[in-house]
Amino acid sequence: FDCNIDIREIDEMIEETAEALTGASSVKAGYFEGKSYPNGFEIAENALVQEYGTMEHGGFIPPRPFLSNAMKNERKWETILHAELDKGRNLSQALARVGEEMRNDIIRSIDSNLPPPNAEGTAKDKGSSHTLIDTGAMKRATSYEVEK
């Protein structure tokens, strides 16, 4: 039995794998520090208030779990990651593609007009009965970050 192994091919495979895996380790989507409404209220804080509800900030705000709703797409995100890697993308590129989809799923969740409906006074003040959208600032601030 005779077996010849070309070490150069193995070295090349290891180098390609290391290249694909370096640079990024994870992706997160949602709201990050530093983005505020004109009144100074942090958009990330408002996202938490909307997700879980509160008795603070001027009265009862019921939970509208738009982030949890978007998380239901976790398997889809995993499929996208594998598909992007199978296409030859490096990990940073694949995670960026997943981040874009995560961001889009959060925005779709905001657009879905999650119950419960706005209170009559809130709808009147906003000029709209659509939940989670007033000025559109939270929707526009939805983003993702690929972490190293």
Side-chain angles (χ1 to χ4, degrees):
F1 176 70
D2 192 13
C3 180
N4 292 322
I5 299 174
D6 188 347
I7 297 295
R8 290 174 294 184
E9 288 180 23
I10 294 172
D11 285 343
E12 231 176 81
M13 285 174 34
I14 291 171
E15 189 176 310
E16 287 174 8
T17 302
E19 212 173 275
L21 296 176
T22 56
S25 63
S26 66
V27 63
K28 59 184 180 179
Y31 306 92
F32 305 102
E33 288 183 39
K35 293 186 180 180
S36 301
Y37 294 98
N39 67 3
F41 191 57
E42 284 277 329
I43 292 175
E45 186 176 347
N46 182 51
L48 287 174
V49 166
Q50 298 300 325
E51 177 77 9
Y52 298 107
T54 186
M55 292 293 290
E56 298 175 18
H57 304 292
F60 177 66
I61 297 173
R64 293 189 178 93
F66 70 104
L67 294 168
S68 298
N69 190 42
M71 284 297 299
K72 293 175 185 173
N73 293 293
E74 192 172 8
R75 289 220 187 269
K76 175 179 77 171
W77 303 335
E78 187 178 321
T79 300
I80 291 169
L81 176 64
H82 291 293
E84 292 297 309
L85 292 172
D86 288 346
K87 290 178 189 174
R89 309 278 198 280
N90 67 36
L91 188 57
S92 291
Q93 293 167 326
L95 288 172
R97 174 64 189 94
V98 171
E100 289 171 14
E101 192 63 25
M102 293 167 75
R103 177 189 174 276
N104 291 338
D105 286 334
I106 293 169
I107 289 171
R108 280 189 281 273
S109 184
I110 290 170
D111 286 340
S112 72
N113 201 23
L114 287 171
N118 284 323
E120 283 183 39
T122 301
K124 184 178 177 185
D125 290 346
K126 287 179 13 172
S128 167
S129 62
H130 197 294
T131 60
L132 297 174
I133 298 177
D134 186 357
T135 65
M138 186 172 73
K139 186 174 161 179
R140 286 189 304 276
T142 309
S143 60
Y144 70 91
E145 292 179 355
V146 175
E147 297 183 308
K148 306 225 179 232

